[in-house]
Amino acid sequence: MREELLAFVSRHGTLLEPAAIEFLLSQRDPIAKVEGFLDSCAETPFLVRLEDIVAAAEIGRTAGGRPSRPGPQPPTSAPAMPASFRRQGDRAADNDPDVRILRDITGRSTCEGTLEDFTRYFRHRFAVLGGMLRRRRELAGSQDISKARRSTREVRMIGMVADVRTTKNGHRILELEDDSDRVPVLLPADSSLAAEAVVQDEVIGVVGTVNGKGLVIATSLVRPDIPNPKAFGGANGHARVAFLSDVHVGSRTFLEDRWSKMSAWLGGSDDTARSIRYLVVSGDVVDGIGVYPRQDEELAIDDIYGQYEALARMIAALPDRLRVILLPGNHDAVRPAEPQPTFPASIQKLFDSHVVFAGNPCLLSLEGVRILAYHGRSMDDLVSSIPGMSYQRPLDAMKAMLRMRHLAPIYGGKTPIAPEAEDHLIIEEVPDIFVTGHVHAAGMDQYRGVVLVSASTWQAQTPYQKMRNIEPSPARLPIVDLGTGQAWIREF
Ligand code: D5M
Ligand code: FE
Ligand code: ZN
């Protein structure tokens, strides 16, 4: 039913907030209920909130008939938008491009980096991910750590990982923390748990028993994960989206000839090329200035606006049917702390109207297909914290993110994270497509119904990457069919 309901609202060009989904699923006929609500709205709202449905039902009951205009105001009334949601563009007619930025931090950053900000940020992370875990059958009846640690029976608890270490005997020990207490949890060397990828600051569930020394011996770990694999929420037509990342315009190692080949193919008569309507560019769109020591020696364009102007010309040369969605990465001219807002007006004005600007990360919809796009800086921390992870295998790191339902779980590593009032790096909604860049490697896979895309790069190996033994796979174009989710990669 959940899938049918989501498909129904998606066809009507609107979204349901999670609480509204749960509410509707508890009703006898969820689709009839939401259809009645939408009929009662003068304009289709961009997001249907629980309170809107409830309010509409109330008005309907008291007035003894359909209200003339209940529900949310039209999307022009920006203050009515819930925090962290914004909207770009109106509902498109068939065949018109349909790009909506559903969620990013742009214009909504509130943090100043105070101690209270940090506390609030982690509380929010714990509340949301802990809430997901509490709904899991394996963790039914879970207890506060202060209570669980005094139990003599099997215990279930939910906490944030304050520390992970490996003992000299190969056991792993986690320090698990919640609001009430903190407890050490042993993942025995002789169980498969010892090999589990557990990272600092992630929120997990633990099932185990407490020994005489107050140590919890774990028998299983539970991740928020994607408990119910979902069907690809396809668009009506067969428009395709192609994924680019790490273009690094302005670098001496930018692969101009490979880009030209791709640009010519997109503008040519190939059927696949002509079916591509959208390009999502997942950050590091230019090489930037002063990103690392002595970068100036590797720049072909040493002016930041000059770099964006060059990119704007490259995009302007692409066919008119394309809409290009640009996200920033760690080389771009926006704040480095994640979540990153989108590009400033001084840069946006260099581009034509085919470009849509988004923050990093960003949840967007293309013809109703939900795409979570993230540059992928946290891969640096995941690769150095999880044994077996590597820059060559970003899809493994992406699966780990989906299991943890977090894009950048490790705080205080290489990924700078701004302690916003809400943790925007939580993967609250399971997307249809999840795309990252940053590691300059191309790949595709799927995980529990989500299409995974590691977008390639348009930069050759840099001296720094050579020193670090990072072998890029440049000039690959992952393409996904928005109707079916079918995916493939084309090399240039
Ligand atoms: O990142 C390009 C590649 O270089 C990517 O594989 C990550 C790696 N990289 C970049 N910065 C670091 C740091 N600080 N530590 C480890 N590895 C790194 P790009 O963002 O394009 O420079
Ligand atoms: Fe990059
Ligand atoms: Zn990067």
Side-chain angles (χ1 to χ4, degrees), residues 238-242 272 275-278 479-482 486 488:
H238 276 284
R240 269 89 182 237
V241 52
T272 301
S275 70
I276 297 175
R277 302 288 304 274
Y278 307 97
I479 300 166
V480 179
D481 185 304
L482 290 171
Q486 192 193 6
W488 65 101

Side-chain angles (χ1 to χ4, degrees), residues 379-380 383 388-398 437-444 454-455 461 465-466 468-474:
M379 302 256 189
D380 293 338
V383 163
M389 289 275 164
S390 87
Y391 281 117
Q392 265 70 42
R393 301 172 58 86
L395 296 159
D396 290 346
M398 295 174 77
H438 185 57
V439 298
H440 297 200
M444 289 187 139
S454 176
Q461 192 184 44
Q465 290 161 11
K466 197 175 169 71
R468 298 284 309 262
N469 235 346
I470 295 170
E471 199 69 57
S473 47

Side-chain angles (χ1 to χ4, degrees), residues 246 248 283-284 330-331 375 438-440 457 459 465:
D246 296 82
H248 289 271
D284 285 1
N330 51 304
H331 281 250
H375 178 60
H438 185 57
V439 298
H440 297 200
T457 177
Q459 182 182 39
Q465 290 161 11

Side-chain angles (χ1 to χ4, degrees), residues 320-430:
D320 272 353
R321 65 165 188 280
L322 290 168
R323 289 296 171 277
V324 182
I325 297 96
L326 291 187
L327 274 69
N330 51 304
H331 281 250
D332 285 289
V334 306
R335 78 165 185 198
E338 298 179 5
Q340 297 178 287
T342 198
F343 304 89
S346 58
I347 288 173
Q348 292 193 17
K349 70 171 197 239
L350 305 174
F351 291 83
D352 65 31
S353 61
H354 291 109
V355 177
V356 177
F357 299 92
N360 169 45
C362 164
L363 180 70
L364 68 139
S365 147
L366 299 179
E367 303 187 9
V369 174
R370 303 301 189 89
I371 301 180
L372 175 63
Y374 172 54
H375 178 60
R377 183 87 201 260
S378 66
M379 302 256 189
D380 293 338
D381 294 312
L382 294 175
V383 163
S384 55
S385 318
I386 304 179
M389 289 275 164
S390 87
Y391 281 117
Q392 265 70 42
R393 301 172 58 86
L395 296 159
D396 290 346
M398 295 174 77
K399 288 176 200 171
M401 292 177 199
L402 287 172
R403 279 195 292 273
M404 296 185 280
R405 294 292 287 270
H406 204 285
L407 294 168
I410 302 167
Y411 197 93
K414 285 177 183 148
T415 314
I417 294 173
E420 296 290 346
E422 295 187 352
D423 186 348
H424 296 260
L425 299 163
I426 292 173
I427 305 173
E428 283 212 49
E429 185 184 322
V430 178

Side-chain angles (χ1 to χ4, degrees), residues 262 265 270 272-273 458 475-479 488-492:
M262 188 249 321
W265 178 76
D270 183 280
T272 301
W458 299 82
R476 268 82 156 179
L477 190 67
I479 300 166
W488 65 101
I489 297 180
R490 194 182 168 95
E491 189 174 346
F492 292 92

Side-chain angles (χ1 to χ4, degrees), residues 288-307:
I289 307 282
V291 179
Y292 55 87
R294 302 177 63 185
Q295 185 188 16
D296 49 329
E297 293 167 15
E298 292 175 35
L299 289 178
I301 307 172
D302 62 5
D303 172 76
I304 189 73
Y305 290 105
Q307 294 181 357

